[in-house]
Amino acid sequence: MSVTTSAPAGGAAGKIQESLFSRTGAMLVMAVSTLYFLTPIWWLFVGAGKRSDEFTSTNPLWFADFELFANIGDLLEYRDGVFLRWLLNSILYTGGAALIGTVLAAMCGYALAKYRFRGRELLFNVVLSGVLVPATALALPLFLLFSKVDATNTFWAVFLPSLVNPFGVYLARIYATAGVPDELLDAARIDGSGEVRTFFKVATRLMFPALVTIFLFHFVAVWNNFLLPLIMLSDERLFPVTLGLYTWNTQVNQIPELRGLVIVGALLSITPLVIAFLALQRFWRNGLGAGAVK
Amino acid sequence: MTSAPARAARHGRAVPFFVVPFGVLFTLFYLLPIGYAIVQSLYKVERTGTFGPAREVFGGLVQYERVFADGAFWTSIGRVLAFGVVQVPVMLGLALLLALLLDSGLVRGRRFFRLAFFVPYAVPGVIAAIMWGFLYSPNLSPLKPVTSAIDFLSADLVLWAIANVVTWVYVGYNMLIIYSALLAIPAEVYEAARLDGAGQWRIAWSIKIPLVMPAIVLTTVFSIIGTLQLLAEPQVFRSFSSAVSSTYTPNLTVYSTSSIPNFNLAAAFSVVLALTTFVLSFVFLRFTNRKGVQ
């Protein structure tokens, strides 16, 4: 009797031990990964608060004299406040392009999902293969085309190409097919709502989480696009902040004071984004899930 | 009651409104540049005498002959392929492991870890590369004992130093895609396995991983495209390490060829690179689809 009862008990103890072992292992992996992902950010934060003579003489991971605000002041004054200009440009390039681009992609994807028209599949396939075209392969011919019309080194040379988001059309089609029922559109029609009004009043509301995802994807793509502004722009007043910091970084050897400014600038430029990302993460996750399993 | 086709035709009048804005921009900034690059790649610049005026004449495949004879270009393709063969599995393996751990119930503080791992994705490639460039420099690094013993910026290691930057930025993003796919699996799927006595690891291996395969395939294709497009990170590393040449990656080759300038040759480079990207993505998709069918 005692033998038969002790067997499952021993098993359970084994299970608990195994689970304790797994739990500890899992937490260990998580802790090491957290250190890996966050240490560079922490280093940047600490470094941004140091005087330039303290970079090499003090602990890289701990504060010296906390001069962050003085450093930010220096950064904003440097070369007539060009850094602020860069931030503003970045907001216009990325925010503006992502916002308009999302609306355009959503409209096209919605039409592909909800209307039957001639050339629909052709259009979809062409747009879909556009997803696979590397953005960098487009930058050079775009430069040549813009130079034909004498429009390189302008705001529009970077902004207009950034509006196009084929992947957004693809996602919008998936979401509109799954998330906007035909019956609802028919009901709106019976109520006398026009097609365009129905899209903006009814469909976009149902597609909202998806639209946030498309916006974020688009935002990151433009924010990360380095080659297009690098090729197009020569006037530093038009630079996005990434290109600006890049050019400063290439001059660190000649002008050592720039190193400190690059570090403070990097911190300033990523902070709003990190906050926005963390705030919008819920939408990300839901949208990505829908995209991944289709 | 109007018949269904008639109704569709009447509503179809709204289609141009939805499709044309995106369609025009897509044509102008995707199709036109691709076509233009192909045309440009078929021309060559001729001069009468050494200092005579330059004029463009049709050159047939002469630029492509130069591309195929260009050893440095193919070395750079080989380099990014070696990079991808190591970096993509490491990155996606880590992303999968972290996603499975988050989903396993073994981990406390899931929300915190999810956010912590995702933060680097808000850092654009250029800024991440600048940051890590400083972190690898022996006199600034918080890992001084390591960086003074191992030169991460040396010719042997700099490629893997760059691989680490890319991994650092994108693990969290890929993890989130896989994690979202895991969350979409209904709980009932696990119940039978649990009744049969399968443990966490067994369930992860035999149920979860096969079910999130589509998400893994998606992230792999994006990673392959990203690897072949490598530009910003190596371009930044040129100011930290002399080991990164102006033809270090295919895209750097395109960029430096266009700034010589030899636009026709640069166009041929980008056409070949875009085709290579296409072919590799398709081959990968075909390969994984076939495996899925079996």
Side-chain angles (χ1 to χ4, degrees), chain A residues 216 271-281:
Chain A
L216 288 171
T271 305
L273 240 106
V274 169
I275 293 170
F277 266 47
L278 298 187
L280 291 170
Q281 217 231 149

Side-chain angles (χ1 to χ4, degrees), chain B residues 17-276:
Chain B
F17 172 83
F18 289 114
V19 174
V20 166
F22 178 84
V24 167
L25 291 172
F26 185 76
T27 309
L28 279 178
F29 301 121
Y30 260 77
L31 300 183
L32 190 65
I34 293 169
Y36 191 67
I38 294 171
V39 171
Q40 279 290 312
S41 70
L42 297 175
Y43 278 79
K44 60 179 181 180
V45 173
E46 241 176 26
R47 286 170 196 284
T48 35
T50 320
F51 300 104
R55 60 195 176 94
E56 282 201 326
V57 295
F58 187 75
L61 296 178
V62 66
Q63 304 295 357
Y64 289 94
E65 279 166 25
R66 291 179 65 186
V67 170
F68 283 97
D70 191 321
F73 182 69
W74 295 100
T75 308
S76 74
I77 294 239
R79 187 177 288 123
V80 290
L81 286 180
F83 176 103
V85 166
V86 175
Q87 190 266 336
V88 175
V90 167
M91 173 179 69
L92 294 182
L94 191 56
L96 178 64
L97 173 71
L98 295 176
L100 286 171
L101 286 177
L102 277 181
D103 190 58
S104 67
L106 291 170
V107 171
R108 272 166 214 279
R110 263 179 288 191
R111 222 180 114 72
F112 167 78
F113 289 120
R114 221 173 53 209
L115 293 175
F117 302 166
F118 192 59
V119 164
Y121 187 58
V123 181
V126 184
I127 293 181
I130 292 175
M131 231 164 73
W132 277 98
F134 286 136
L135 289 172
Y136 291 136
S137 310
N139 51 348
L140 290 172
S141 177
L143 304 164
K144 217 168 277 183
V146 182
T147 48
S148 49
I150 307 166
D151 183 4
F152 288 107
L153 299 169
S154 66
D156 291 337
L157 290 179
V158 73
L159 185 67
W160 309 112
I162 295 172
N164 174 55
V165 179
V166 178
T167 306
W168 182 78
V169 172
Y170 288 102
V171 164
Y173 163 75
N174 290 305
M175 179 204 75
L176 210 59
I177 293 184
I178 299 170
Y179 181 59
S180 308
L182 282 171
L183 289 182
I185 301 173
E188 303 89 70
V189 175
Y190 305 132
E191 250 150 48
R194 227 171 260 134
L195 283 179
D196 288 345
Q200 289 273 8
W201 292 107
R202 178 76 215 204
I203 290 177
W205 186 252
S206 309
I207 301 178
K208 289 182 178 179
I209 293 182
L211 282 176
V212 297
M213 244 343 172
I216 297 174
V217 169
L218 183 85
T219 52
T220 310
V221 170
F222 284 150
S223 307
I224 292 174
I225 297 175
T227 299
L228 284 163
Q229 285 196 70
L230 264 187
L231 174 89
E233 294 84 356
Q235 175 79 358
V236 168
F237 270 71
R238 295 197 65 200
S239 45
F240 290 106
S241 165
S242 55
V244 183
S245 64
S246 65
T247 57
Y248 199 70
T249 71
N251 257 324
L252 271 178
T253 307
V254 175
Y255 174 64
S256 38
T257 310
S258 70
S259 53
I260 293 174
N262 186 341
F263 292 125
N264 305 100
L265 181 59
F269 275 129
S270 46
V271 170
V272 171
L273 180 58
L275 282 177
T276 312

Side-chain angles (χ1 to χ4, degrees), chain A residues 15 19 22-23 26-27 29-31 33-34 36-41 43-44 55-56 58 60-61 104-105 107-108 110-111 115-117 123 126-127 129-138 140-146 148 160-161 163-167 169 186 189 195-196 199-200 217 220 223-224 226-227 230-231 241-242 245-246 249-250 252-253 259 262-263 266 269-270 273-274 277-278 281 284-286 288-289 291-293, chain B residues 7-8 11-12 14-15 17-19 21-22 25-26 28-34 36-37 40 94 97-98 101-102 105-108 112-127 130-132 134-135 139-142 144 164 167-168 170-173 176-177 179-181 183-184 197 199 201 211 214-215 218 221-222 225 229 231-232 235-236 239-240 251 254-255 258 263 266-267 270 273-274 277-278 281-282:
Chain A
K15 268 253 155 76
S19 126
S22 304
R23 249 170 231 285
M27 286 308 280
V29 173
M30 289 286 151
S33 306
T34 306
Y36 171 61
F37 290 116
L38 294 188
T39 306
I41 307 264
W43 172 85
L44 189 68
F55 282 133
T56 49
T58 59
L61 290 179
L104 299 181
M107 281 161 57
C108 188
Y110 172 81
Y115 298 99
R116 308 185 161 276
F117 53 91
L123 176 68
V126 172
V127 171
S129 51
V131 173
L132 285 182
V133 178
T136 45
L138 292 171
L140 175 69
L142 277 172
F143 171 78
L144 296 176
L145 287 169
F146 272 90
K148 290 248 163 192
L160 289 176
L163 290 173
V164 190
N165 178 8
F167 189 57
V169 174
D186 279 333
R189 279 166 196 150
E195 299 299 309
V196 174
F199 171 74
F200 284 105
F217 265 121
V220 172
W223 176 231
N224 274 324
F226 177 63
L227 185 59
L230 178 70
I231 282 189
V241 69
T242 44
L245 288 175
Y246 163 77
N249 188 55
T250 56
V252 162
N253 287 332
R259 186 200 279 155
V262 168
I263 291 176
S269 63
I270 66 170
L273 240 106
V274 169
F277 266 47
L278 298 187
Q281 217 231 149
W284 259 119
R285 209 156 44 83
N286 297 341
L288 285 173
V293 279
Chain B
R7 208 172 56 197
H11 301 142
V15 167
F17 172 83
F18 289 114
V19 174
F22 178 84
L25 291 172
F26 185 76
L28 279 178
F29 301 121
Y30 260 77
L31 300 183
L32 190 65
I34 293 169
Y36 191 67
Q40 279 290 312
L94 191 56
L97 173 71
L98 295 176
L101 286 177
L102 277 181
L106 291 170
V107 171
R108 272 166 214 279
F112 167 78
F113 289 120
R114 221 173 53 209
L115 293 175
F117 302 166
F118 192 59
V119 164
Y121 187 58
V123 181
V126 184
I127 293 181
I130 292 175
M131 231 164 73
W132 277 98
F134 286 136
L135 289 172
N139 51 348
L140 290 172
S141 177
K144 217 168 277 183
N164 174 55
T167 306
W168 182 78
Y170 288 102
V171 164
Y173 163 75
L176 210 59
I177 293 184
Y179 181 59
S180 308
L183 289 182
W201 292 107
L211 282 176
L218 183 85
V221 170
F222 284 150
I225 297 175
Q229 285 196 70
L231 174 89
Q235 175 79 358
V236 168
S239 45
F240 290 106
N251 257 324
V254 175
Y255 174 64
S258 70
F263 292 125
S270 46
L273 180 58
T277 313
F278 259 119
S281 308
F282 269 121

Side-chain angles (χ1 to χ4, degrees), chain A residues 78-90:
Chain A
Y78 193 74
R79 283 192 208 157
D80 303 327
V82 75
F83 184 80
L84 265 185
R85 179 75 197 234
W86 292 344
L87 276 185
L88 183 71
N89 291 341
S90 279

